[in-house]
C-alpha cells in the first residue's frame, strides 16, 4: 500500500493549506481510495499557522470578539490545545492584511490591539503557553497595540497615555510595563516566525514590509524615524538593545517589542515549529511520496521555508517529493537540488488568474489525480487496465 | 533504456503533428537524452496527411504553383516517395480552409481545381500511385474542380463547358469523362479519409460540413438540391449509384465524384493508412510508453481516429499510453477504457487561449519533461538525486 504525506502551504487568495490538503487528498483517493495519506497543512507563522497547528495537535478553535486593525469589532479566532493549555494566536487573525480592503490600508492608524485581546482571552482561559505567529499584519505599530491591550502604558511627553498605532510611535516618550497583565508574565511564549529582518534600516520593518501595509514612498522616512525614536525609548527603559535581533522587524516591528518586554520567550521558525509538532520528519521518512505546494513557486520560494522545507526533509529521508503550484516563475533547476523533483502546474486549460483562483481546489484535485495516473504508468504492462 | 513512441495528431492553430512530435521529443530528452524515441506524426486524411506520410516514408516535399479555392495563384505542396513513385496529395493543401480568411469563405465560388493541378503535376512526374487525403477543404464542389483540372468536362444544357464550383453543380446536365487525363486512369488511387458521411441528407456533405465552409443556413437547401441534381447526372452517366457510399460526402462531396469516376480506387481510413505505413502496431508493441495528443480532446475524440486510434493500438499491445492536450472537455473516463490512461494538460499557468496557442511547442515540451519527472519518481528512494 502506498503511503503519501501531503504537506502544502496555502495557495493565497485561493485555498488555505488545510483546504489544499483536502483537495490533494481527494485527487489521490479519486485514483485509488486505498492509499494511506497523512495530511499536514504547513505555515510560516503568518496566516494559516493556527489552522495548521490546531490540525496537527488536534486542538480546537476559539472565537472572540475583538478589534480589527482599524478598531472595528470583528470575530477572530485562536487555537486552543486543552491538554497542554497552549493557545495559538496569529497576528494575521485580528490584525492581518486580509481584514482590510486595499483602499482601507492605513498604517498610521492600524493597530495590533485585537491581537492583544485574543492573547488576553487565552490567558483568562488558563493558557500556560502562548504560541504567537508573526506575519501578515496590516500594522507598523511595533506590536504596541497588542501590549496596550495586555496592560502596558505608552505615554507622551505630557505623561498622557497614547492610543497606539503606527503614527503614535513617534510620540512615545515613556512606557510603564509594571502595569502589564500579570498573567502574561506567568506563561511561556513561543514566537513563531520565519521573518529574520531587523527593526530598522534598509532590511527593516518599514523599508521591506511597510509598502505592502500601505506606507507610501513619501512617508517611509517619517515612519522609519518614528520607529527609531520609539525603539530608543524602549531600549532606555529595558536597558536591552534588541533592535538588530533577527526577527525584531517581523509583523511591523512586533518582534522588537516582544523581545524587549517579555522574559519567558523563545523564537522558533514557524515552519520548523509545525514540522516538529507534526513529527513531519518521522512521517516523511516512512512515506513513499511527499506532496507539497504553494500558490506561487518562484526563486524566492527556494530560499523560503514552506515547500522547500518539506522538500529538504524529504531529500534527507531519500523520499521523492513534488509540488503543485498555480504558477511557477524563474529557474526551477535549483528546486531539484533541494529535493523538489518536479513542480507541477494545476491550471489545466487556458483561463484567467481569477478563474484559476476561484476553482483552485478543483484544479488541485484533478492535478493530483493526473499525477497518480502518471506515477503508476509503470506498474507493468499487464496491469494497465485496473 | 526506455523506448517511447511519440505519435500525436496536430494541435490545430498551434502546431502541426510533426511540430508536436518535435516538442514532445525535446521535453523527454530534456529529462534524459539517452531515451530511444520514435516519432510518428499522425493525421486523418485532412491537413497534415502529407507531412505525416512523408515523414514516415522518408519522402520529399514537392512545391507547385496552383490555384487556391478562389482561383488565386499560390504555392502548394504534395509528397513524393520516389522509390514507389507514390504521390501524396491532400485536399487541404491547395483547396483547404487554411487558404481562406473567415470573411473570404465563399462556397458558391470555391473550387478544388488546385488539388487537380497538384495531382496532374504528380502524374506528369511519373506517379504510379496517388494517395489523396480528403478533409479540411473549403469547397462544396463535389471535387468537380479537381476533375476538370484532370480533363473531365462538365457541360450545361447548352452544351457549354462550365467552370466548376459549388454553384455550378446545379447547372451540370452532362459530363464527358473520356477526356480525362490518360495518366489518371493508369495509376492506383488510395483515398485516405476518416469521414464516413454520405453525399446527401441530414448526415451529408452540405448539412454537416457546409456551415464550416461558409454555407449560410438560408442557402443550405439550395446547395443540397444542386448537389442532388449533379449526383443524378453523374449516376446516369456512370450507371453506378454511389451517393450513399460511406465517405461520398467527404471534402464537400469530393468522395462521390472520386467513387463515380475512378476505377482503380481503394478507400482507407487516413489514420489506419498512416498507422500501417508507419508500422505503428509493431513499433508500439516494442515500446515502454506511448505518447499521443491533440489540440483539444473531447468526447468526440473518443469516437475518432487520431489519439484514440493510437491508444487502442497501445491497449492491444498492453503498453501504457497517455495524451497531451491544450484543453479537454467532457467525461474522460471512457478514454481509459480505450487505453488512454491519462489526459494531461499542457497549459502551465493562467493564460489566454491565444497565448497558449502561440506558445504551444514550449508548453508541450515542458509538459513532457514534467511527465517524465513523475514517471520516474519511483526509480527507488536511493536514486532520486541523479
Amino acid at each position: 500500500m502506498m503511503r503519501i504525506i501531503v504537506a502544502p502551504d496555502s495557495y493565497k487568495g485561493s485555498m488555505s493549506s488545510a483546504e489544499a490538503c483536502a483537495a490533494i487528498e481527494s485527487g489521490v483517493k479519486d485514483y485509488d481510495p486505498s492509499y494511506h495519506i497523512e495530511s499536514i497543512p504547513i505555515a510560516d507563522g503568518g496566516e494559516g499557522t493556527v489552522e495548521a497547528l490546531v490540525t496537527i495537535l488536534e486542538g480546537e478553535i476559539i472565537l472572540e470578539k475583538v478589534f480589527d486593525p482599524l478598531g472595528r469589532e470583528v470575530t477572530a479566532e485562536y487555537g486552543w490545545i486543552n491538554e497542554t493549555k497552549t493557545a495559538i494566536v496569529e497576528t494575521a487573525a485580528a490584525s492581518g492584511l486580509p481584514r482590510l480592503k486595499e483602499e482601507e490600508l492605513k498604517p498610521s492608524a492600524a493597530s495590533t490591539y485585537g491581537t492583544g485581546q485574543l492573547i488576553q482571552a487565552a490567558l483568562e482561559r488558563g493558557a500556560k503557553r502562548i504560541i504567537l505567529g508573526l506575519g501578515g499584519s496590516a500594522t507598523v505599530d511595533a506590536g504596541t497595540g497588542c501590549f496596550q491591550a495586555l496592560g502596558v502604558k505608552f505615554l507622551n511627553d505630557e505623561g498622557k497615555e497614547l492610543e497606539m498605532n503606527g503614527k503614535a510611535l513617534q510620540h512615545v516618550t515613556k512606557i510603564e510595563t509594571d502595569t502589564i497583565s500579570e498573567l502574561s508574565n506567568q506563561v511561556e511564549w513561543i514566537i513563531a516566525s520565519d521573518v529574520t529582518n531587523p527593526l530598522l534600516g534598509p532590511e527593516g520593518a518599514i523599508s521591506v514590509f511597510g509598502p505592502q501595509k500601505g506606507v507610501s514612498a513619501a512617508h517611509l522616512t517619517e515612519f522609519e524615524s518614528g520607529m527609531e525614536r520609539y525603539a530608543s525609548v524602549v531600549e532606555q527603559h529595558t536597558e536591552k538593545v534588541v533592535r538588530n535581533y533577527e526577527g525584531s522587524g517581523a509583523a511591523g516591528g512586533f518582534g522588537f517589542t516582544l523581545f524587549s518586554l517579555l522574559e519567558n520567550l523563545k523564537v522558533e521558525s514557524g515552519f520548523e515549529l509545525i514540522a516538529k509538532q507534526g513529527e513531519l520528519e518521522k512521517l516523511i521518512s516512512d512515506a513513499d511520496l511527499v506532496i507539497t505546494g504553494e500558490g506561487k513557486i518562484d526563486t524566492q520560494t527556494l530560499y523560503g521555508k514552506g515547500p522547500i522545507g518539506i522538500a529538504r526533509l524529504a531529500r534527507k529521508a531519500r523520499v521523492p517529493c513534488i509540488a503543485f503550484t498555480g504558477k511557477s516563475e524563474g529557474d526551477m533547476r535549483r528546486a531539484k537540488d533541494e529535493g523538489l523533483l518536479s513542480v507541477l502546474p494545476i491550471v489545466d486549460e487556458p483561463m484567467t488568474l481569477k478563474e484559476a483562483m476561484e476553482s483552485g481546489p478543483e484544479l488541485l484535485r484533478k492535478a493530483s489525480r493526473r499525477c497518480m495516473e502518471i506515477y503508476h504508468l509503470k506498474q507493468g504492462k499487464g496491469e494497465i487496465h485496473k
Side-chain angles (χ1 to χ4, degrees), chain A residues 218-232:
Chain A
H219 291 99
L220 279 171
T221 53
E222 188 186 334
F223 276 98
E224 177 81 1
S225 73
M227 187 68 88
E228 189 164 0
R229 245 174 292 163
Y230 164 76
S232 302

Side-chain angles (χ1 to χ4, degrees), chain A residues 86-371:
Chain A
T86 298
I88 306 144
V89 180
E90 61 188 38
T91 57
S95 317
L97 286 167
R99 287 289 179 194
L100 305 184
K101 298 186 194 119
E102 183 142 3
E103 64 272 21
E104 291 179 332
L105 288 173
K106 204 175 180 189
S108 60
S111 164
T112 53
Y113 195 88
T115 300
Q117 292 175 295
L118 284 179
I119 293 171
Q120 185 61 32
L123 292 172
E124 286 165 15
R125 179 174 291 264
K128 291 186 174 164
R129 190 162 56 153
I130 306 275
I131 298 177
L132 176 60
L134 295 188
S137 85
T139 60
V140 289
D141 75 345
T144 50
C146 169
F147 278 93
Q148 190 160 45
L150 293 173
V152 173
K153 287 190 174 153
F154 299 89
L155 310 170
N156 68 8
D157 53 8
E158 295 167 1
K160 270 187 66 181
E161 188 177 354
L162 291 156
E163 193 178 310
M164 292 312 298
N165 51 44
K167 195 172 174 65
L169 286 184
Q170 60 183 298
H171 302 302
V172 176
T173 53
K174 188 166 172 249
I175 64 173
E176 288 183 19
T177 50
D178 51 349
T179 53
I180 195 168
S181 155
E182 219 168 287
L183 294 167
S184 75
N185 268 326
Q186 293 164 3
V187 297
E188 177 194 356
W189 289 79
I190 296 174
I191 310 304
S193 169
D194 286 329
V195 172
T196 55
N197 304 63
L199 183 65
L200 298 165
E203 298 298 315
I206 299 298
S207 300
V208 176
F209 303 110
Q212 77 195 40
K213 302 173 201 284
V215 177
S216 69
H219 291 99
L220 279 171
T221 53
E222 188 186 334
F223 276 98
E224 177 81 1
S225 73
M227 187 68 88
E228 189 164 0
R229 245 174 292 163
Y230 164 76
S232 302
V233 170
V234 173
E235 285 172 352
Q236 207 160 18
H237 175 83
T238 60
E239 299 180 344
K240 283 196 296 187
V241 177
V242 305
R243 62 175 73 182
N244 289 321
Y245 281 21
E246 276 200 354
S248 69
F254 207 142
F256 171 81
T257 307
L258 288 164
F259 300 164
S260 296
L261 303 189
L262 296 180
E263 298 293 324
N264 207 359
L265 169 143
K266 221 166 47 180
V267 183
E268 293 207 35
S269 140
F271 169 75
E272 276 154 33
L273 180 71
I274 286 166
K276 198 173 68 185
Q277 295 295 335
E279 300 184 320
L280 254 177
E281 193 161 345
K282 189 183 165 336
L283 279 177
I284 284 177
S285 68
D286 290 340
D288 299 302
L289 176 66
V290 176
I291 301 176
T292 181
E294 194 167 16
K296 183 173 165 184
I297 293 189
D298 52 22
T299 42
Q300 191 92 26
T301 312
L302 302 183
Y303 294 93
K305 290 285 166 72
I308 281 298
I310 295 292
R312 285 174 186 154
L313 292 178
R315 184 187 55 182
K316 200 172 149 195
R318 305 186 88 71
V319 175
C321 177
I322 57 170
F324 289 108
T325 188
K327 184 179 167 80
S328 71
E329 225 171 55
D331 184 357
M332 284 296 118
R333 276 173 298 185
R334 239 202 84 211
K336 279 211 176 49
D337 299 334
E338 299 286 9
L340 205 52
L341 303 189
S342 194
V343 176
L344 300 167
I346 65 172
V347 171
D348 65 1
E349 63 179 50
M351 63 177 71
T352 63
L353 176 62
K354 186 162 171 282
E355 286 165 342
M357 304 262 272
E358 282 169 3
S359 49
E362 177 64 6
L363 291 175
L364 184 53
R365 183 180 71 77
K366 292 201 286 190
S368 304
R369 187 178 56 197
R370 288 193 302 268
C371 176

